[in-house]
Amino acid sequence: MPKAYWIVRVSVHQPAQYPDYLAAARPAFEKFGARFVVRGGAFELMEGQARERNVVVEFADFATATACYRSDEYQKAKAVRQANADADFIIIEGAT
């Protein structure tokens, strides 16, 4: 069964409050075994459009990745994120 990933591009507009999102999301990440592959870091835009922050989170499989996103724990954190940042967010299955 292939792994699955959250791929999230974020523009933070309230940097002082954004750590509140990270703290609120931690229980969901721990519960669903999230592993951060990319968390910010330097990047170079080669084509298209970019946001200032890029994140890739790995999960055991697609069902786990979607369950984490839909969980009560993450939905609370999502509300905090949406109040402090704009994001493009997909869940994608990895290659087999």
Side-chain angles (χ1 to χ4, degrees):
M1 184 176 306
K3 294 186 184 239
Y5 301 87
W6 287 7
I7 301 176
V8 189
R9 299 177 323 125
V10 182
S11 294
V12 177
H13 51 78
Q14 299 290 336
Q17 284 76 36
Y18 196 71
D20 296 343
Y21 159 69
L22 301 174
R26 184 179 313 277
F29 296 150
E30 290 174 355
K31 179 178 179 179
F32 291 94
R35 185 178 79 83
F36 284 81
V37 177
V38 174
R39 184 184 260 173
F43 70 93
E44 182 176 345
L45 176 64
M46 305 310 265
E47 296 184 32
Q49 298 177 342
R51 293 189 181 264
E52 64 197 48
R53 183 171 173 80
N54 300 285
V55 180
V56 177
V57 186
E58 181 181 78
F59 292 88
D61 53 40
F62 193 81
T64 303
T66 55
C68 183
Y69 182 84
R70 293 178 178 141
S71 71
D72 290 340
E73 296 90 344
Y74 188 74
Q75 290 303 300
K76 291 174 188 172
K78 181 177 99 170
V80 176
R81 175 178 48 80
Q82 289 178 329
N84 296 295
D86 296 316
D88 301 313
F89 194 126
I90 67 167
I91 299 174
I92 190 165
E93 190 173 65
T96 56

